[in-house]
Amino acid sequence: MKFFIINSFRTMVYVAYIAVIIGGIGLGVYNSGAWSGEVLGMSGTTAQVVDFLVFSFAGWIVASLICGLIVTLLDIRDDINDRLPDARMDN
């Protein structure tokens, strides 16, 4: 049973990682140059490409942070659960 639980958490992290990256790409496509036009003063196709690249990169960074935090918290929880039986036996 532990095998399925561990693999389901791993699958959750993979799905979350890809979903956040796709969200960043989608946001870059949705903006279609609006951010680059306002912040960098660009226009046209160049602004759209810059928006796509910036939001794709930002999505990758955010996905790495979120999924890294998920994995870290799950690892801490797993370590605590591994030590709980030892603590109960000492009493």
Side-chain angles (χ1 to χ4, degrees):
M1 188 66 166
K2 188 174 182 179
F3 172 79
F4 293 114
I5 292 171
I6 291 171
N7 285 332
S8 67
F9 285 136
R10 185 178 298 157
T11 303
M12 176 188 68
V13 171
Y14 292 153
V15 169
Y17 192 78
I18 292 177
V20 173
I21 291 174
I22 289 173
I25 291 171
L27 188 59
V29 170
Y30 175 75
N31 276 335
S32 66
W35 181 82
S36 296
E38 290 177 15
V39 175
L40 303 175
M42 297 179 168
S43 63
T45 306
T46 306
Q48 291 176 349
V49 170
V50 169
D51 268 4
F52 177 77
L53 293 175
V54 166
F55 284 105
S56 297
F57 183 73
W60 175 58
I61 295 296
V62 169
S64 297
L65 291 173
I66 289 172
C67 292
L69 182 63
I70 290 171
V71 168
T72 302
L73 293 174
L74 289 174
D75 189 42
I76 291 170
R77 183 192 61 97
D78 187 44
D79 288 344
I80 290 171
N81 285 338
D82 287 345
R83 294 174 192 262
L84 279 178
D86 295 337
R88 289 185 191 139
M89 293 177 79
D90 288 337
N91 290 333

